[in-house]
Amino acid sequence: MKLMDVVIPTGMVHSGMNIGEAFRECVTHNVGGIPFCNSDGQITGRFSLRNTFRQLCIPQDMIHHAHMLGDAICSESTPEIINGDMLKLSVETFVIENVATITPTSPVLKALSIMEKFNSSYIFLLDDGEYVGVITRMRIASLLLNYHKF
Amino acid sequence: MAELPVELTTNMFIALGIMFAAYVLIFSELLHRTSAAIIGAVVMIGVGTYAGFYSQDLAIQSIDGNTILLLTAMMMVVAMVRPTGGFEYVAIVLAKLSHGDSRLLLIYLSLAVSLISMFLDNVTTVIIFAPITVLIARILEVNPLPFLMAEAMLSNIGGAATLVGDPPNIMIGSAAGIDFTRFIIHMGPPIAAVWACTVVLILFLFRRHLTKVSRHVDLNENKALRDPAALIRALFVLAMIIVLFFLHHHMGLYPAYVAFVGLCVALVLERPEPGALFGQVNWSVLAFFVGLFIIVGGLEKSGLLHWVGLQLVDLARDPERLLLTGLAVMWVSALLSAIVDNIPFTVTIIPIVLGLESMGINITPFWWALAIGVGLGGNGTHIGATANLIAIAESEQCGIKGAAITPLAWMKVGIPTMFSSLIVASLVYALFFPFFM
């Protein structure tokens, strides 16, 4: 199995985009995050669904005590979700600087190891510095099932 | 023992210069306080050895092993209690008992934090209670600010009541040979009076925030308990340690040793994974204390602290002025503790007080005054105690509108609280002065 077989080509997030547009790109391609590029087209960070939700509407105290929460809290504590205001915000505030990348010649095991190390469900594939797409665990598992006709 | 000089010498100035430089680094936070203390200690040993007033052996002797080991053992015990979820369980039960009455909630949470802080590290107590308090306030749709401030302040006050509640108390008890029982008997009454007055004052100052709400605390306390059996074992060990603290002087044992006895029982019962257990110990704090002990040890061996004692001896010798001197110690300690870290201050002042004893002065009232002062002074400003900084960090992180505690907001409540506490403590101290002698 080669990484080029499992890559999901996506667009990138750039300065000036809002969260709604970034969400649309992630949802369309069923990935948890996409790269953020600067005006020179260089990847300088990443936009992550998980990080955006965490920064916008899941306070640390709620995450820490999530196992004790009842059902009455969620909707009332996150008005940003109800009124959709969060979708209009600029993505730049939510960009994470650390980016895990891999090249097409790397083995799948390396991609899985890096995802594990960075506690992430995806990694970006770069070919000679050019962005190709996203590698996800889900996609690797899907291809494995197809390959073995399981 | 070498005769200490009665006049100022070059060595004294050298030692003072090193200590001053180290303390500037600590208080200015140009370097992390532990790094600054380690650098200061290494320089003090090196320069002191070259100048002839200090040595590696003397530096090792200056480290208070009882303080360091007691803190280490208690940190490990807390590391085993914390994951059980017992503290969160208590907070949720108390929140439900308050039935939406914010004033009752504040009293209940403050009482719980104070009682726990009497026996466990108050910083850890606030670290655990602050996030669950914010969540409870979020659910009740009330501002968490009064609760966070009250918890930090009353945790500091609760910790002042016992020998093990606050690191300065451990140092004072260790240096003065005061056992756990004697400490709580003397500190308990003034601290109880201070506690009650502080709660009333906080309720008054936050009266507009503390309303009755109709919402109910939608949290499941049973799910807070991750391992009820582990909690029972941890409570058994804690109870055993507390009983041993009350008995340690009868058995001729150091508080640190009885804490380690409890730790051994916990290690057998819990069988924790060593990496996780040792990872929970705050080595940075321990290294900071070791560094301070070595720095102040150098200052002491240079003869400077003895010289300072000589300057104070006339004031302290007069029995008529003993009460006044005790009150001065209390207020100066409190005011300094409000603006600088109370640990370096306590470590520095202890040898001076001990030096007065060697000059034939009854220093017992000064120990209590010092313990009250450093214990209560921390409430004055946001930087006065580590627990305050934790409450502030939690208030800033929570993202609730109007919840962030600014330094000014802290001082608006902290300064009246500190002064009222000191006035109450001074009254108790003065009215029952023979008891503190």
Side-chain angles (χ1 to χ4, degrees):
Chain A
M1 190 191 291
K2 290 177 186 164
L3 287 177
M4 286 303 267
D5 298 336
V6 291
V7 70
I8 306 167
T10 71
M12 287 196 277
V13 173
H14 52 81
S15 184
M17 277 174 82
N18 60 37
I19 288 182
E21 291 168 313
F23 270 22
R24 176 72 61 206
E25 191 64 24
C26 291
V27 171
T28 304
H29 300 289
N30 195 24
V31 292
I34 43 180
F36 174 85
C37 66
N38 61 15
S39 52
D40 300 330
Q42 286 177 318
I43 295 175
T44 54
R46 66 189 164 100
F47 174 83
S48 143
L49 291 179
R50 180 180 169 184
N51 175 63
T52 308
F53 278 123
R54 188 168 51 204
Q55 269 189 262
L56 264 175
C57 46
I58 321 174
Q60 200 59 40
D61 53 282
M62 224 183 264
I63 299 170
H64 191 68
H65 302 105
H67 58 296
M68 306 171 209
L69 291 175
D71 295 331
I73 182 167
C74 302
S75 57
E76 286 139 18
S77 301
T78 52
E80 303 90 341
I81 289 183
I82 297 170
N83 60 27
D85 280 354
M86 64 181 283
L87 299 175
K88 296 170 199 158
L89 297 171
S90 167
V91 287
E92 279 163 298
T93 329
F94 303 94
V95 170
I96 310 168
E97 282 185 2
N98 65 325
V99 186
T101 61
I102 200 158
T103 59
T105 51
S106 302
V108 172
L109 195 62
K110 183 176 173 182
L112 288 169
S113 303
I114 294 174
M115 283 188 236
E116 199 59 43
K117 172 153 177 113
F118 287 91
N119 191 24
S120 172
S121 61
Y122 59 87
I123 187 170
F124 302 133
L125 186 72
L126 299 188
D127 189 7
D128 211 15
E130 290 293 311
Y131 175 64
V132 181
V134 183
I135 308 285
T136 66
R137 258 198 215 99
M138 194 71 81
R139 184 79 171 161
I140 293 170
S142 165
L143 200 78
L144 204 63
L145 287 170
N146 289 338
Y147 185 79
H148 292 291
K149 296 185 173 53
F150 192 81
Chain B
M1 195 177 124
E3 195 68 29
L4 289 167
V6 291
E7 298 292 330
L8 283 172
T9 63
T10 312
N11 284 345
M12 291 181 194
F13 284 112
I14 291 170
L16 182 66
I18 296 167
M19 188 201 75
F20 184 75
Y23 280 19
V24 165
L25 281 178
I26 291 168
F27 297 134
S28 65
E29 296 179 0
L30 284 169
L31 276 178
H32 186 273
R33 64 177 190 166
T34 305
S35 309
I38 291 171
I39 293 167
V42 170
V43 172
M44 184 66 90
I45 295 171
V47 175
T49 305
Y50 181 76
F53 67 85
Y54 209 29
S55 68
Q56 296 169 77
D57 290 337
L58 289 173
I60 289 169
Q61 286 167 25
S62 67
I63 300 168
D64 184 349
N66 182 51
T67 298
I68 300 296
L69 292 172
L70 178 54
L71 283 167
T72 309
M74 291 309 285
M75 282 177 187
M76 289 192 193
V77 171
V78 170
M80 283 187 266
V81 178
R82 197 174 160 179
T84 63
F87 296 124
E88 285 90 347
Y89 178 88
V90 170
I92 297 170
V93 168
L94 292 175
K96 288 186 174 176
L97 280 175
S98 68
H99 297 294
D101 187 333
S102 302
R103 284 170 300 179
L104 270 184
L105 178 62
L106 187 137
I107 294 169
Y108 289 162
L109 288 176
S110 302
L111 183 62
V113 167
S114 302
L115 289 174
I116 295 170
S117 298
M118 285 172 69
F119 301 102
L120 300 179
D121 172 32
N122 57 356
V123 173
T124 309
T125 312
V126 175
I127 286 175
I128 296 167
F129 267 79
I132 189 76
T133 301
V134 168
L135 184 58
I136 290 166
R138 195 187 291 283
I139 292 170
L140 293 176
E141 293 185 351
V142 293
N143 191 336
L145 184 147
F147 303 94
L148 291 173
M149 284 185 78
E151 282 176 4
M153 287 182 183
L154 293 159
S155 155
N156 294 332
I157 291 173
T162 65
L163 182 78
V164 295
D166 209 10
N169 291 2
I170 300 175
M171 292 168 183
I172 291 167
S174 190
I178 300 170
D179 61 70
F180 186 89
T181 313
R182 195 171 149 221
F183 204 99
I184 201 166
I185 287 172
H186 284 81
M187 290 292 284
I191 292 301
V194 165
W195 190 92
C197 290
T198 305
V199 169
V200 171
L201 184 66
I202 289 175
L203 287 174
F204 174 75
L205 292 172
F206 287 115
R207 63 193 179 283
R208 287 197 187 89
H209 289 82
L210 301 170
T211 52
K212 192 161 170 65
V213 293
S214 55
R215 298 178 62 84
H216 102 110
V217 181
D218 190 22
L219 290 170
N220 188 339
E221 65 271 25
N222 294 320
K223 286 188 179 169
L225 295 178
R226 294 187 182 97
D227 185 353
L231 177 64
I232 292 168
R233 291 194 294 270
L235 289 177
F236 168 73
V237 169
L238 265 182
M240 195 187 86
I241 292 174
I242 292 168
V243 170
L244 285 174
F245 277 147
F246 278 105
L247 299 174
H248 77 90
H249 62 289
H250 294 300
M251 299 188 277
L253 302 172
Y254 280 106
Y257 182 74
V258 302
F260 266 95
V261 170
L263 176 65
C264 288
V265 175
L267 290 173
V268 172
L269 293 177
E270 289 297 325
R271 306 197 180 188
E273 200 268 305
L277 176 68
F278 290 109
Q280 293 281 317
V281 175
N282 197 337
W283 299 109
S284 167
V285 167
L286 297 174
F288 174 60
F289 289 173
V290 168
L292 285 179
F293 282 132
I294 293 174
I295 293 170
V296 175
L299 204 65
E300 191 182 355
K301 297 302 172 195
S302 75
L304 184 67
L305 298 183
H306 176 76
W307 181 85
V308 172
L310 284 175
Q311 311 312 305
L312 298 173
V313 72
D314 289 335
L315 181 70
R317 184 169 280 151
D318 185 353
E320 298 291 314
R321 289 197 290 188
L322 204 57
L323 169 62
L324 206 63
T325 313
L327 288 173
V329 168
M330 185 194 297
W331 280 75
V332 169
S333 311
L335 295 174
L336 283 174
S337 297
I339 47 173
V340 296
D341 191 339
N342 61 6
I343 307 286
F345 174 75
T346 310
V347 176
T348 314
I349 206 87
I350 282 173
I352 298 175
V353 178
L354 280 174
L356 289 174
E357 188 178 37
S358 65
M359 296 168 201
I361 291 163
N362 177 12
I363 56 167
T364 309
F366 300 157
W367 292 128
W368 307 122
L370 180 63
I372 292 171
V374 294
L376 303 182
N379 282 339
T381 64
H382 68 295
I383 52 164
T386 314
N388 307 357
L389 295 173
I390 288 159
I392 289 172
E394 195 63 39
S395 77
E396 288 168 347
Q397 279 168 19
C398 74
I400 297 173
K401 202 176 171 187
I405 305 170
T406 61
L408 190 66
W410 185 282
M411 284 194 284
K412 274 184 183 171
V413 179
I415 289 175
T417 304
M418 182 187 77
F419 279 109
S420 68
S421 302
L422 284 171
I423 291 166
V424 172
S426 300
L427 283 173
V428 176
Y429 186 79
L431 287 172
F432 303 97
F433 190 60
F435 177 65
F436 292 101
M437 289 175 74

